Amino acid sequence: AQRVTQPEKLLSVFKGAPVELKCNYSYSGSPELFWYVQYSRQRLQLLLRHISRESIKGFTADLNKGETSFHLKKPFAQEEDSAMYYCALTLTGANSKLTFGKGITLSVRP
Amino acid sequence: GAGVSQSPRYKVAKRGQDVALRCDPISGHVSLFWYQQALGQGPEFLTYFQNEAQLDKSGLPSDRFFAERPEGSVSTLKIQRTQQEDSAVYLCASSWTTGRGTDTQYFGPGTRLTVL
């Protein structure tokens, strides 16, 4: 069965510092990887997905199949980045149900 | 346009009561998912509909959980004889097509169920 691991529960940084939120997955096939974000009092929303290879709000994530990782990075954190972040995967060609990690709280201090 | 809506937003039930949670997906979305999110955890898949057909219910934790989407639009998740371990946020998500792994899922605000 597929599994997503987010090893840290909380990351606290100062504004302007680099950020890396870790995500590892276990699945023998070719999954699709996503990062979802939930800002305070808002609903869960898609931040980015690996197939798009986009940079959203300054965040990027590279799929490393050798290390089975999909870490989320941003070179300079902003206060508005403070939120809960979830890494998730779905199986290509399946009904696209998402398997989520436990999530990490990012706190960016002024 | 309007996003996914869920009602009620909060529900308190006494142990043993039945509850019904409603999800209104984005108009025209074919796929509908239910997830359960316990405190401090990520969302966990419960069940999936493609139009009115329930194609995957592998995540339903027990036969006390039942979901339906009779007309391929609004969905209801029913929990019978609620237990304390059912306390969680129940999330609904919908997406455009038949869910081939690339469609963005849009989430509702969730229903927070507390079982006393």
Side-chain angles (χ1 to χ4, degrees), chain A residues 43-91:
Chain A
R43 61 189 66 191
L44 197 60
Q45 59 186 284
L46 178 66
L47 179 63
L48 56 78
R49 61 177 70 185
H50 87 270
I51 59 171
S52 299
R53 296 183 176 273
E54 294 175 305
S55 173
I56 306 294
K57 299 185 179 182
F59 285 97
T60 59
D62 291 320
L63 180 61
N64 186 322
K65 292 186 178 181
E67 296 183 357
T68 60
S69 68
F70 188 57
H71 303 327
L72 184 67
K73 300 177 182 179
K74 185 169 183 176
F76 308 104
Q78 303 299 314
E79 291 179 65
E80 55 265 30
D81 296 328
S82 295
M84 191 77 179
Y85 291 80
Y86 295 94
C87 183
L89 70 75
T90 188
L91 307 183

Side-chain angles (χ1 to χ4, degrees), chain A residues 32 43 49 86 94 96 98, chain B residues 4 37 99 101-102 104-105 107:
Chain A
E32 295 192 43
R43 61 189 66 191
R49 61 177 70 185
Y86 295 94
S96 78
L98 292 164
Chain B
V4 178
Q37 186 172 20
T102 60
T104 299
Q105 291 186 28
F107 282 81

